[in-house]
Amino acid sequence: MPSSLVAPASTPAPLSTMPPTTPRPAPTLAPLLASLLGFTVITVDVSAVNIALPAIRTSLHGGMAGLQWVVDAYTLMFAALMLSAGALADRAGARRAYTWGVGLFTLASLACALAPGIGTLIAARVAQGGAAAVVMPASLALIRQAYDDPRRRARAIALWTVGGSVAMAAGPVLGGVLTEAAGWRAVFLLNLPIGAVILALLARTAPSVRRPAPIDLAGQATAVLALAGLAFAAIEGGHLGWTSVPVLGAAALAVAAGFGFYAAEKRHHAPMVPLGLLRERKVGVSLAVGFAINAGFYGIVFLLGLYFQQLRGMSAIAAGLMFVPLAVIITSTNLVSPRMAERIGRRRVIVAGQAVLALAMFVLLPLAADTPLWLVLVLLVPTGMGGAFAVPALTALLMDAVPAHRAGTASGLLNALRQTGGAMAVALFGALLAADGGTGFSVTGMREALLAVGLLLCATTALAAWLLPRDARG
């Protein structure tokens, strides 16, 4: 770890002169490690579960729709509640909110591991997602408060982002090993000791500043309804039919709740999503780009977990090991990205990363059951490089675009949009993959989904190139 990330040690005062009630300053390393571990564990949980899905389907007798809900119950609650969780991090203080989130996440992980049926597992995943929503913005706000110096803060945020990206890429490998060796429940049990370590680190972290941040109940309720309706329509549309009454009703609910959300935010004296913040060019573009990047990456991870096991008949551990090169590429690219952003500007890095990820969607279009495995690995190279190149610069751009007291709100908003992108991609991919009624794997549906997400990434690439500032730092 670079020495610049650790605050210089101060000379301790003699014991005889130090008041017995004076607390010792918390080490700077403790909040960074706690934030990094928390972000890592909630990210690993997403991609590791993707590899465990076929085992969950066999054990709990769930169809494709059930598997989609196992993933999206987590990501949707993650996305929807993160909007209020950002304000909670500001209101309760980052350390306290983070402690609450980690504690609930650990308990919900235990409930997932003990789930007797698919419905119980989905309910426990809802609780997990709600807890993760608190952890995500609080972890970034904790770093923002721990580092006043912009350069140290940028490096700490880069390290935080690297940890999350590596966790997302390494999650399938870990998920495959755990599922094959000890069963799919071990994927959730792993969170228990990690949660205990995070709580111990938080006990050594100084209390955070608490700021007034009213909870916007109307905005939160309409956000949950909008995302839930959208997800139901996307997931069940592939199984019940796009013109079925439940699907059309869910779509109508999503639209109505979306308008209700806008009205609630416009009228509330302290909205959880300040509409004025969205008018800032850097903020608006960052949100759109974050949505598209996660749609591409989450969609690919969900797709490949099923492709390797259902279409090619590979074991869970073999499927997980196929992600090892991807993890290596993401790790190395994440390390290069911050340096490239300093050298050529964040705008160029963000645009280039999206363009490469869009390319990744298109080069995977010829994928089939008999595609040589070495070629599959080669085709995955742009997937690893694209998002990993863009996300560190994207996160730093947003954090510098907002004042310090909006750090929790802004990080919550960015990650809410990123998780929504991932959830919608899983819904889209799952609906198209189950074109035969949910009993197999549709290659045609896979290609339609890849094409749709690729076009979305092309659109946000053009948006970033057009609207982001062209200065050296931008």
Side-chain angles (χ1 to χ4, degrees):
M1 179 176 294
S3 59
S4 59
L5 292 182
V6 182
S10 59
T11 303
L15 293 178
S16 59
T17 63
M18 182 175 291
T21 58
T22 302
R24 294 183 179 182
T28 304
L29 192 59
L32 177 59
L33 288 177
S35 299
L36 183 59
L37 276 176
F39 186 31
T40 298
V41 74
I42 64 175
T43 307
V44 163
D45 203 77
V46 177
S47 53
V49 169
N50 275 282
I51 294 298
L53 289 177
I56 292 173
R57 183 177 191 172
T58 300
S59 173
L60 302 182
H61 310 292
M64 177 64 80
L67 298 185
Q68 289 173 268
W69 280 117
V70 167
V71 176
D72 273 358
Y74 179 89
T75 51
L76 285 172
M77 289 303 292
F78 199 164
L81 295 185
M82 202 182 302
L83 297 172
S84 287
L88 178 64
D90 292 336
R91 182 177 183 175
R95 191 188 74 166
R96 179 177 296 180
Y98 197 42
T99 302
W100 293 344
V102 170
L104 178 58
F105 184 85
T106 304
L107 292 175
S109 297
L110 178 61
C112 289
L114 299 177
I118 195 73
T120 308
L121 177 59
I122 292 171
R125 290 283 284 169
V126 169
Q128 256 196 325
V134 177
V135 169
M136 175 74 85
S139 68
L140 193 53
L142 203 63
I143 291 177
R144 176 65 179 81
Q145 294 171 14
Y147 295 94
D148 292 327
D149 180 70
R151 291 183 62 86
R152 288 185 176 181
R153 182 171 66 247
R155 291 174 182 174
I157 290 174
L159 188 60
W160 178 86
T161 306
V162 167
S165 298
V166 173
M168 174 58 73
V173 182
L174 185 60
V177 171
L178 290 174
T179 301
E180 193 79 11
W184 63 267
R185 299 179 191 274
V187 174
F188 299 106
L189 289 174
L190 179 66
N191 297 335
L192 274 61
I194 298 176
V197 171
I198 297 171
L199 293 175
L201 286 169
L202 289 172
R204 300 177 56 202
T205 302
S208 303
V209 175
R210 301 172 64 179
R211 299 184 176 92
I215 301 299
D216 180 5
L217 295 179
Q220 181 61 85
T222 50
V224 171
L225 288 175
L227 291 180
L230 187 61
F232 185 93
I235 291 175
E236 299 298 338
H239 306 282
L240 301 178
W242 298 106
T243 58
S244 64
V245 173
V247 171
L248 291 177
L253 173 64
V255 173
F259 280 110
F261 176 80
Y262 176 81
E265 300 310 278
K266 190 174 182 179
R267 295 175 183 175
H268 200 282
H269 70 283
M272 64 181 183
V273 179
L275 298 180
L277 193 65
L278 300 180
R279 287 191 286 269
E280 167 61 40
R281 181 180 296 184
K282 289 182 181 180
V283 174
V285 173
S286 296
L287 298 180
V289 172
F291 179 96
I293 287 176
N294 265 40
F297 193 81
Y298 275 62
I300 289 296
V301 172
F302 178 79
L303 164 70
L304 293 179
L306 298 175
Y307 167 80
F308 288 133
Q309 295 179 78
Q310 290 192 351
L311 193 62
R312 304 197 66 129
M314 298 173 66
S315 67
I317 191 168
L321 290 174
M322 291 295 293
F323 286 86
V324 170
L326 188 65
V328 173
I329 293 170
I330 288 176
T331 303
S332 57
T333 305
N334 265 153
L335 294 174
V336 171
S337 175
R339 296 189 181 94
M340 291 299 296
E342 290 183 1
R343 179 174 300 177
I344 67 174
R346 291 171 180 163
R347 172 181 169 274
R348 291 190 179 95
V349 169
I350 293 169
V351 170
Q354 287 184 94
V356 171
L357 190 56
L359 175 65
M361 303 298 114
F362 298 134
V363 300
L364 287 171
L365 287 173
L367 210 61
D370 57 352
T371 304
L373 288 179
W374 66 266
L375 181 57
V376 175
L377 294 178
V378 171
L379 295 178
L380 285 178
V381 171
T383 301
M385 293 180 62
F389 196 58
V391 169
L394 181 71
T395 306
L397 179 76
L398 179 65
M399 287 296 98
D400 283 355
V402 299
H405 70 277
R406 286 292 190 188
T409 301
S411 62
L413 187 56
L414 172 63
N415 288 293
L417 265 293
R418 290 185 64 190
Q419 294 302 319
T420 301
M424 292 301 103
V426 169
L428 172 66
F429 274 72
L432 294 175
L433 288 175
D436 59 355
T439 59
F441 185 101
S442 170
V443 174
T444 300
M446 172 188 70
R447 291 171 179 166
E448 291 172 350
L450 287 169
L451 181 61
V453 176
L455 291 175
L456 171 65
L457 282 161
C458 286
T460 55
T461 300
L463 186 70
W466 180 36
L467 293 180
L468 287 182
R470 298 174 182 271
D471 57 280
R473 291 286 299 167

